[in-house]
Every structure is written in structure tokens, then in C-alpha cells.
Amino acid sequence: MSHRYLVLGLLAQAPMTGYEIKKHASCALRSVANASYGTLYPMLHQLLDEGAVQMEEYPQNHRPARKVYTITERGKQELAAWLHEPAQSDQIRRDFLLKLFLAHDLSPDDLRLMLQQRRAATEAELAALREIQSAVACGTPPNQLWVSDYTLTMCQAELEWLDRLMAQMGPDRLE
Amino acid sequence: MSHRYLVLGLLAQAPMTGYEIKKHASCALRSVANASYGTLYPMLHQLLDEGAVQMEEYPQNHRPARKVYTITERGKQELAAWLHEPAQSDQIRRDFLLKLFLAHDLSPDDLRLMLQQRRAATEAELAALREIQSAVACGTPPNQLWVSDYTLTMCQAELEWLDRLMAQMGPDRLE
DNA sequence: TACCGCATGTAAACGGTTACATGATTAC
DNA sequence: GTAATCATGTAACCGTTTACATGCGGTA
């Protein structure tokens, strides 16, 4: 259901096509919510049926028409109502943590490898976040910067945790 | 698919009933993966069909028979193979962060309320984690302690982040 | 008396991903 | 020449949640 509000929320900021919504969801919102076209387009059709958005078509040559969606008053009200209700708790599926939990008969070397792989992945995500953050900078509303700052902070905390754990496990023998 | 390995992994530690698996998933593994009976029981049946687990029935009076599942050699192999492949990236759905991102026309007071609610929720989770951690203590394998330690560390980092943000937003006017 | 724990399960609905279909334009 | 970008969508499948069904025994 949260994709509904993702769409409404982005349209509240500016009229957009489905394609543009997807881009936002894959960039600035990457760490918060992702959505595929298979979710997005049907969602837009549904919102249109329900009168939460409007649509205007702009034909193009040799390309499907741009369908620009605009939020309606009704859509705005629904969005505001959702924003005001308390946030649901996070739904997290961490393959890494599950593996760590169940890794009781993994060899020390395999375990260390697992931690190092996680470290590399987290560092890569941190780099990607820094890229995004430096790309926006000026005109972005503060609350959107907070979101990437949040994710960045969490990445850093995780890196520190991983380093502490690996140090505690003893000196490196693998690389 | 990860619920498959959650089940296999727990059964690798000790034979269990579906009910007991659910308890583990709701306690120690709460922050990693959750599973409802609607997922768990069909999964056990499927694993049984595939020969990854065995089942022995213990009839009881006035109650459904306890069905104790045990992992087979084949199940152990599958689990080991999964443990050795690199972890998939986290799948996270954070209602709170989405709201924060989209909250550009929320009043400052509403925003502050949102942050405070999040703070309370996180603090509650931290307390729950501390409870769990103090309850286990001695016999628990270290990698399982690491998982709760990880989650605890993340909670603390988030609390600090929230406090920094609220301080930055200016002095409290609400309570 | 009321609720919680024990213990099994099923069925319908839901939300989402993946893969497919189409195809011109532009940048490397 | 190859890949990415623009731009729409559909259909099959998959995994999961929610609600339902049953019901005794112990505790507050």
C-alpha cells in the first residue's frame, strides 16, 4: 500500500509521468522504497479511476504519448491523512543478518569472508549515497536531505560495527 | 524464499515443531525475519515433500499432535550452500522515512510530532532488545548475540540522529 | 471470567516482481 | 555498433498476510 503514497507524494511535488516517478524512486528514494513499472503503471490507473489524480496526454512522434499525471484535491487530502497517521514500524528483510544468525557451523574463514563482503557492499552504498547527496545540494527541500543523511548515518554506524566485530574476532588471516 | 532458510536454519540447531519455529522467529529473530503460520506450515509441508526435513508425530490428549521436524542431510546441504553464497542486499520498507521524505507541506509542529513518535518507537524497540539480550546471556552462540548487538547499535545510532535533527530544528515548543 | 499459551492448519486476497512486448533517438 | 534513454504497458507467477476454524488447560 505504501507505493500508493509514494506516487501521491511525488505527484504532490510536481506533475509527472510514470517514467519520471520511477526515476525518482530509483534515485533519491532508493533507500526508502523501490517500485517497478509493473507496480507503478497499474497504480496510476487505479488512482485515476478513484479520482485521486488527473491525466493529460501529450502525443509524441515515434514514441508512446507522455501521460502526465497531476494530483487532485482529493488525492492531496488522502496524502495529508496518511502523513498525519503514525508511521508503521519498519519492514526489514536482511539476508545478511539472517545468514549471520544461522552461521553457527560456518568456518571462521567463511565467516570473515561474509563480513568482508558485507563491508564492501555497505561501503559501495555509502559511496552511492554520497554521490546522490553531492548531486542535489542546493534546491532540494531539507526533509529530503534528511532522508539521505539518515541512510548515510546508518551505513557509517554499520561500518563501524563491522570493523569492531572483525577486530574482536582476531587478526586477519584472509584477504 | 528466505523463509525457507529461516526454517532450515532453525531446524539445523534443534528439532522443533512449527509452533516453536514461530516463537523463535517472533523473539530472537524478530528484527531479521518474521513469518506467520500461513507461511510456516505450508513451508514445512513443502520441505517434507522435498526431503529436506523429516517429521515425527507425538499424539497428545485434547490437543493437535506435536509434529516435530528434523533437518535431513539433504536439508543441511541446501542450507550450507545458501550460507556460502553472497548475501542479497537488504529489502527495507521504512514507512517513517517515506513520510519524512514526502512531508514537505507538513507543519513544523506535525513534523516534530512525527520525529518524537519515531523516537519513542525506537526507544521501545531498544528496550525490547535489551530485554531479549539479558534473557539469553550465557549459552547462546556468539553469532546470535551479534545479531541483536547489530540491531541495538542501529537503534542507538538512529536515536542519536533523531536527537541531532530535533536539536537542529530549534528548541521544543511542543511536548 | 477472561485471556493467554499450546498446536494444528486452510483459503482468499493482496502486493509486488519478473519477463515480455514495442521501438525510435541519442550518446559513446 | 552498442548501449542507454525515453515511454508505455500487460500477464503470469510468487510469496506473504490476514482471517478463519478448532479447542483444551492453566493463570490472573
Side-chain angles (χ1 to χ4, degrees):
Chain A
M1 210 35 6
S2 71
H3 284 162
R4 183 185 182 88
Y5 302 105
L6 169 68
V7 170
L8 284 177
L10 286 175
L11 292 180
Q13 285 167 31
M16 268 185 244
T17 68
Y19 188 83
E20 287 164 341
I21 289 172
K22 174 73 166 84
K23 276 208 302 189
H24 277 92
S26 310
C27 285
L29 275 162
R30 207 172 47 84
S31 55
V32 178
N34 214 343
S36 56
Y37 291 126
T39 310
L40 241 34
Y41 285 117
M43 178 61 72
L44 282 166
H45 301 332
Q46 192 191 320
L47 288 169
L48 194 61
D49 275 355
E50 292 170 20
V53 301
Q54 278 178 305
M55 188 265 283
E56 201 155 351
E57 219 162 330
Y58 297 90
Q60 302 181 108
N61 296 330
H62 314 298
R63 219 171 261 193
R66 277 171 63 85
K67 294 188 176 177
V68 177
Y69 291 87
T70 312
I71 195 166
T72 62
E73 204 44 53
R74 197 161 152 184
K76 280 183 195 168
Q77 275 170 22
E78 196 188 328
L79 178 63
W82 172 75
L83 274 174
H84 282 89
E85 71 190 29
Q88 285 185 269
S89 60
D90 299 345
Q91 287 189 312
I92 301 183
R93 178 126 317 146
R94 281 193 259 240
D95 206 42
F96 161 67
L97 274 200
L98 183 59
K99 281 196 163 86
L100 187 60
F101 189 93
L102 299 176
H104 76 121
D105 47 18
L106 215 56
S107 75
D109 275 0
D110 284 338
L111 216 156
R112 181 179 292 281
L113 181 64
M114 199 178 112
L115 294 173
Q116 272 167 352
Q117 280 176 349
R118 176 68 177 190
R119 204 189 183 288
T122 307
E123 202 136 24
E125 205 193 321
L126 200 136
L129 278 166
R130 288 227 170 90
E131 189 108 1
I132 288 171
Q133 236 184 8
S134 67
V136 284
C138 46
T140 318
N143 53 309
Q144 296 189 10
L145 291 177
W146 296 340
V147 170
S148 47
D149 187 58
Y150 173 96
T151 320
L152 226 140
T153 304
M154 292 304 132
C155 279
Q156 281 170 333
E158 184 176 319
L159 284 180
E160 283 165 30
W161 182 84
L162 283 167
D163 287 340
R164 243 180 294 137
L165 183 57
M166 288 198 279
Q168 184 194 308
M169 277 175 62
D172 296 22
R173 235 156 294 141
L174 205 92
E175 176 54 13
Chain B
M1 208 39 3
S2 71
H3 283 161
R4 182 183 184 89
Y5 301 104
L6 168 69
V7 170
L8 284 178
L10 286 175
L11 291 181
Q13 285 167 29
M16 268 184 243
T17 68
Y19 188 82
E20 286 164 343
I21 289 172
K22 174 76 166 86
K23 275 207 304 189
H24 276 91
S26 309
C27 285
L29 276 162
R30 206 172 47 84
S31 55
V32 177
N34 215 342
S36 57
Y37 290 127
T39 307
L40 241 34
Y41 284 117
M43 178 60 73
L44 282 167
H45 301 332
Q46 194 191 322
L47 289 170
L48 194 59
D49 276 355
E50 292 171 19
V53 301
Q54 279 178 306
M55 187 264 283
E56 202 155 350
E57 218 162 329
Y58 298 89
Q60 303 180 106
N61 297 329
H62 314 297
R63 220 171 259 194
R66 277 171 65 84
K67 294 190 176 176
V68 177
Y69 292 87
T70 312
I71 194 167
T72 63
E73 202 46 50
R74 197 163 153 183
K76 278 182 195 168
Q77 276 170 23
E78 197 188 327
L79 178 63
W82 173 76
L83 275 173
H84 282 89
E85 71 189 31
Q88 286 184 269
S89 61
D90 299 345
Q91 286 190 312
I92 301 184
R93 180 127 314 149
R94 282 194 259 241
D95 207 40
F96 162 67
L97 275 200
L98 183 59
K99 281 196 162 91
L100 186 59
F101 189 94
L102 299 175
H104 77 120
D105 47 17
L106 216 56
S107 75
D109 274 0
D110 283 338
L111 217 157
R112 181 179 292 281
L113 182 64
M114 201 178 110
L115 293 174
Q116 273 169 349
Q117 281 175 349
R118 176 68 178 189
R119 205 191 182 287
T122 306
E123 202 134 29
E125 205 192 321
L126 201 136
L129 277 166
R130 289 225 170 92
E131 189 109 3
I132 288 171
Q133 237 185 7
S134 67
V136 282
C138 45
T140 318
N143 54 306
Q144 297 190 10
L145 291 176
W146 295 340
V147 170
S148 48
D149 187 56
Y150 173 96
T151 320
L152 226 140
T153 303
M154 292 305 130
C155 279
Q156 281 170 333
E158 183 176 318
L159 284 180
E160 282 166 31
W161 182 84
L162 284 167
D163 287 341
R164 244 180 295 138
L165 183 57
M166 288 198 278
Q168 184 194 309
M169 278 175 61
D172 296 22
R173 236 156 292 140
L174 204 92
E175 178 59 9

